[in-house]
Amino acid sequence: MSNKIYSDTFFNESLKLRYLDTLNEGSKPVAERVLKRAAYLEENSNKDLYNFSLSECEKLIKALGARTLGSARSSFMVVRYYIRWAISEGLRDNNLNPLDTVAGEDYYLTLVDNSESMLFTKFRIDITVADLVNAQDSAIVQCLFEGIMGTGYSEILNLKKVDLIGTEESTFIPLIDDKAGERKLEVSRKLIDLLRDAAREDIYQYKNGEASENAKYTEISLANNEYIFRSGGTNLKNEDMKASSHLILRRLKTVEEVLDYVNFTAINIRKSGMLSILKTILFNADGKLIKNKMSSDDENLIAKQFNIKPASFYNYKREFLNLDTVRKIYQL
């Protein structure tokens, strides 16, 4: 097991490591995975998992996207036993474990994700990005969520390390679509940091760092060239070449497999990013509706970010970019 669960910003990481040391070797991998994914919610709520309420615990477990009863039960038990341990250590604000009041298969079924949804909440994307050990993977997901894609993923694959020069002061980056041409896009500081990490990465870990010890390879060297997103392997025909679109497809498929997701495609991640912006337009931070539909300025904002032609925007609104879909996906 690694000696680092999350990142330098992990909320009370040393405590999680102390807890993991109390578990047997068979229980550690599952517990580590759940605690690692809890980190984002902890930081945003500014409290450790051991002080979560029942609704906060449920939000975490549901966000993990359990697709089977066994998976939901497993995540439930990790959270339950962690809170029990924290109570025994005198850490929780009270001695009541919210997960001791609920249990049983009927309850676990309420935590299973049966929606087969094609779209993902911002929270699901955030914990996914946090859960990926390769910056090469997490940066791809964040790129798509923030509107970077292009014909054949060319806006992503054309990104070069030199494009990050100046991003200490500005979060505008140059993009090149092989067919649509060039544009500049303002992105989040989070994405800039992920791109920097991806540019520095020279080793890629298979299966998100969970490849079997018996596997032929557990990690591979990445090509040493000017691009941010690079292929790996010992049989690279031309190390200086830009990676192909298959790189994006392979890495998203790996994310889908190791995190047990469904429909985790580039198009769905991109649409989820559009929907996230629409949510901030229609609802305030407390989840209160402030307007029923987009203005023309709102439409232009989303269209510009995701490089959508105005003629196509009507179809997006009819398909998913509307109040009803925001309410459904974000449960508002």
Side-chain angles (χ1 to χ4, degrees), residues 1-276:
M1 188 183 70
S2 66
N3 61 0
K4 199 165 188 63
I5 297 178
Y6 185 49
S7 68
D8 293 334
T9 59
F10 182 78
F11 196 87
N12 214 344
E13 180 181 41
S14 61
L15 183 69
K16 300 301 189 299
L17 293 171
R18 184 153 64 91
Y19 170 68
L20 289 169
D21 283 341
T22 70
L23 304 180
N24 62 50
E25 290 302 316
S27 301
K28 283 183 180 181
V30 175
E32 181 178 6
R33 189 176 301 114
V34 174
L35 294 177
K36 179 180 179 182
R37 296 180 187 179
Y40 182 84
L41 189 55
E42 286 181 311
E43 292 187 11
N44 278 270
S45 60
N46 197 33
K47 58 179 167 181
D48 195 280
L49 175 59
Y50 62 66
N51 266 328
F52 274 22
S53 65
L54 176 60
S55 62
E56 288 170 326
C57 291
E58 290 174 340
K59 180 180 179 181
L60 167 63
I61 297 169
K62 288 178 180 178
L64 299 179
R67 293 168 56 196
T68 65
L69 181 66
S71 180
R73 183 194 298 113
S74 178
S75 296
F76 174 92
M77 291 301 179
V78 169
V79 178
R80 186 189 207 180
Y81 289 130
Y82 174 70
I83 294 176
R84 281 186 182 178
W85 173 81
I87 290 173
S88 71
E89 296 286 311
L91 298 171
R92 185 172 166 86
D93 288 346
N94 59 58
N95 290 329
L96 301 176
N97 187 335
L99 296 189
D100 282 342
T101 64
V102 290
E105 294 203 355
D106 288 343
Y107 176 74
Y108 300 142
L109 282 172
T110 68
L111 304 175
V112 176
D113 181 6
N114 292 315
S115 65
E116 299 286 313
S117 176
M118 303 287 282
L119 299 175
F120 307 92
T121 63
K122 181 179 183 300
F123 177 63
R124 176 70 74 86
I125 295 296
D126 285 338
I127 64 169
T128 300
V129 168
D131 203 29
L132 298 175
V133 302
N134 298 295
Q136 290 271 317
D137 293 337
S138 54
I140 287 172
V141 174
Q142 195 67 30
C143 276
L144 293 164
F145 190 71
E146 295 195 24
I148 302 174
M149 191 165 88
T151 308
Y153 311 109
S154 54
E155 284 190 338
I156 298 174
L157 296 170
N158 283 327
L159 280 169
K160 297 179 179 180
K161 297 170 184 177
V162 69
D163 293 329
L164 298 177
I165 294 175
T167 51
E168 293 81 2
E169 296 80 26
S170 168
T171 55
F172 281 90
I173 56 174
L175 301 173
I176 302 175
D177 184 313
D178 286 346
K179 287 189 176 180
E182 301 179 14
R183 65 176 178 137
K184 274 202 167 187
L185 186 68
E186 185 173 19
V187 299
S188 69
R189 176 57 57 185
K190 174 182 180 179
L191 179 52
I192 294 295
D193 291 341
L194 288 171
L195 289 171
R196 284 206 190 101
D197 289 343
R200 287 191 292 262
E201 214 163 50
D202 55 10
I203 298 293
Y204 184 86
Q205 297 185 50
Y206 280 126
K207 298 292 182 182
N208 202 40
E210 298 179 10
S212 167
E213 292 181 359
N214 298 324
K216 186 175 181 181
Y217 299 107
T218 58
E219 61 183 31
I220 200 164
S221 296
L222 294 170
N224 181 19
N225 61 37
E226 61 185 332
Y227 293 97
I228 292 177
F229 297 100
R230 288 154 284 132
S231 299
T234 56
N235 297 317
L236 292 171
K237 293 180 180 179
N238 188 340
E239 193 172 42
D240 294 329
M241 286 180 62
K242 178 179 73 175
S244 76
S245 60
H246 295 293
L247 178 83
I248 307 295
L249 295 170
R250 284 197 308 271
R251 289 185 178 172
L252 289 178
K253 188 64 178 176
T254 296
V255 173
E256 192 174 57
E257 290 173 354
V258 299
L259 298 186
D260 194 27
Y261 285 177
V262 292
N263 303 321
F264 201 69
T265 65
I267 293 296
N268 290 339
I269 298 167
R270 183 171 183 261
K271 288 180 177 179
S272 299
M274 297 181 205
L275 196 71
S276 176

